[in-house]
Amino acid sequence: MTTMYQQQTVAIDRVEQMVSRLKKSDHRITPQRLAIFKILANSVGHPSAEAIHGALLDNHPTMSLATVYKTLTLLKQEGEVLELQFSDLGNRYDGNKPYPHPHVICTGCGTIVDPSLLDLDDITKKMMNETGFKIVAHRLDFYGICPECQKNG
Amino acid sequence: MTTMYQQQTVAIDRVEQMVSRLKKSDHRITPQRLAIFKILANSVGHPSAEAIHGALLDNHPTMSLATVYKTLTLLKQEGEVLELQFSDLGNRYDGNKPYPHPHVICTGCGTIVDPSLLDLDDITKKMMNETGFKIVAHRLDFYGICPECQKNG
DNA sequence: ATCGAATGGATAACTATTCTCAATAAGAAG
DNA sequence: CTTCTTATTGAGAATAGTTATCCATTCGAT
Ligand SMILES: [Mn+2]
Ligand SMILES: [Mn+2]
Ligand SMILES: [Zn+2]
Ligand SMILES: [Zn+2]
């Protein structure tokens, strides 16, 4: 039952987490930022900056795309959003899991899904020993064709 | 001894491989393309398009950056170069290992190194079973600080 | 040598992201 | 509640990596 309750409120928890993190770092909570937090916390896919902006225009007609970018930069700094860089698709953002985790990406339609987590700690240690790098993060993407695109040829 | 010989000639082999692949797909081998192949095969880092272009200007003063991009697009199509997309650093290219393999990237200076290979076949199968995707490639990046940047830290 | 197609070079166009700056509003202080 | 300071917003300009365009050149088959 704890689990079910957590699942229902996970989005709200994320918004609260973002708010408290920004307060701690002496940043102001504006209506624009709050609205962006909510979009990020409620998105299941991995929206682009422009997708976030588009979703906000209904309730915030004057929302600027620059504000979306600035807020994303801020959340990146504070470790509250994960940025997935794609020079072709454009960057995508995960506000629900702001820590490294694998992604499965459809090269047909651009869909990005979160599979179950993977423990790469052992591999990471091996890489540090081998290269001498101090590794703090990773990125693991799998590329393929989603079930939907497989059907549609 | 076979191993030693292969190491000495790996760069040449890569150029030959690129040449024969382009011939097979009915593309012409021009001096410009050959020069780009050589740069790719001999680079230990992971150069950007602009870095490749810069390295070529000495012996090919009229080489156009557009030609570099066109050749890279061609090599990507033919599976003879691996493109690492970075929206901040700019894209980087590996002509020596045109198949998926891990990379260790310094967030301080942008250095990218190839550690030893990793077998992700089991994990890939798990991802396919879980998501229904038909996975054909992957990308595994580790981010950290290289030994050099740690010293100058 | 001739011809049609592929390629190269120069540059314009494009696009995601960042920058600039005047106007506004958050939040602390009184 | 009002005032004050300063971070933030929004609009648009600027930037940068990449792609598209177009004509001259080159390749290579006949
Ligand atoms: Mn994710
Ligand atoms: Mn590599
Ligand atoms: Zn798809
Ligand atoms: Zn470094």
Side-chain angles (χ1 to χ4, degrees):
Chain A
M1 57 189 286
T2 310
T3 308
M4 289 181 62
Y5 182 72
Q6 282 184 337
Q7 282 185 330
Q8 287 176 310
T9 57
V10 64
I12 294 171
D13 287 345
R14 285 297 304 142
V15 171
E16 285 310 310
Q17 175 68 22
M18 293 175 181
V19 167
S20 71
R21 181 89 63 169
L22 283 228
K23 280 183 179 172
K24 262 177 208 155
S25 54
D26 281 316
H27 291 100
R28 296 177 183 173
I29 308 303
T30 64
Q32 291 90 341
R33 285 178 176 172
L34 205 53
I36 293 167
F37 296 173
K38 287 176 184 167
I39 295 283
L40 282 171
N42 285 102
S43 60
V44 291
H46 295 74
S48 63
E50 202 167 318
I52 295 167
H53 182 236
L56 287 165
L57 281 181
D58 299 326
N59 294 327
H60 296 79
T62 68
M63 174 77 67
S64 167
L65 184 56
T67 299
V68 174
Y69 275 109
K70 286 173 196 164
T71 302
L72 287 170
T73 299
L74 194 53
L75 289 175
K76 276 191 282 175
Q77 281 174 13
E78 301 299 325
E80 290 295 332
V81 76
L82 182 71
E83 180 181 68
L84 296 175
Q85 297 194 353
F86 297 100
S87 65
D88 51 2
L89 295 176
N91 295 351
R92 305 296 201 84
Y93 298 88
D94 190 332
N96 289 303
K97 299 179 182 173
Y99 43 83
H101 60 278
H103 289 94
V104 184
I105 299 151
C106 180
T107 53
C109 64
T111 297
I112 303 176
V113 304
D114 283 348
S116 58
L117 302 188
L118 279 178
D119 181 15
L120 293 186
D121 288 355
D122 288 347
I123 294 176
T124 301
K125 277 174 197 156
K126 195 186 296 180
M127 292 292 145
M128 288 198 273
N129 288 335
E130 182 177 338
T131 63
F133 276 57
K134 191 159 295 183
I135 295 174
V136 299
H138 68 258
R139 171 176 180 175
L140 176 53
D141 293 346
F142 294 93
Y143 296 91
I145 307 293
C146 75
E148 193 66 23
C149 285
Q150 287 178 44
K151 271 192 295 184
N152 308 339
Chain B
M1 58 189 287
T2 310
T3 308
M4 288 182 60
Y5 183 71
Q6 283 184 338
Q7 282 184 330
Q8 287 177 309
T9 58
V10 64
I12 293 169
D13 288 344
R14 284 296 307 139
V15 171
E16 285 311 310
Q17 174 68 21
M18 293 176 183
V19 167
S20 71
R21 180 89 63 166
L22 283 228
K23 280 183 179 170
K24 263 178 207 156
S25 54
D26 281 317
H27 290 101
R28 296 176 182 169
I29 308 303
T30 63
Q32 290 91 340
R33 284 177 178 173
L34 204 54
I36 293 168
F37 296 172
K38 286 175 185 169
I39 294 284
L40 282 171
N42 285 103
S43 60
V44 291
H46 295 74
S48 63
E50 203 168 316
I52 295 167
H53 181 237
L56 288 165
L57 281 181
D58 299 327
N59 293 329
H60 296 79
T62 67
M63 175 77 65
S64 168
L65 183 56
T67 299
V68 175
Y69 275 110
K70 286 173 192 165
T71 303
L72 287 171
T73 299
L74 195 53
L75 289 174
K76 275 191 283 175
Q77 281 172 14
E78 302 298 326
E80 289 297 332
V81 75
L82 182 70
E83 181 183 67
L84 295 176
Q85 297 194 352
F86 297 100
S87 65
D88 48 5
L89 294 176
N91 295 349
R92 306 296 202 83
Y93 298 89
D94 190 332
N96 291 302
K97 300 179 181 173
Y99 44 82
H101 61 277
H103 289 95
V104 184
I105 300 150
C106 180
T107 53
C109 64
T111 297
I112 303 176
V113 305
D114 283 348
S116 59
L117 302 188
L118 278 178
D119 180 16
L120 292 185
D121 289 355
D122 289 345
I123 294 177
T124 301
K125 278 174 195 155
K126 194 186 297 181
M127 292 292 144
M128 287 199 273
N129 287 336
E130 182 177 337
T131 62
F133 275 58
K134 190 160 296 183
I135 295 174
V136 298
H138 69 258
R139 171 175 181 176
L140 176 53
D141 293 346
F142 294 92
Y143 296 91
I145 307 293
C146 75
E148 193 67 22
C149 285
Q150 287 177 44
K151 273 192 292 184
N152 309 337

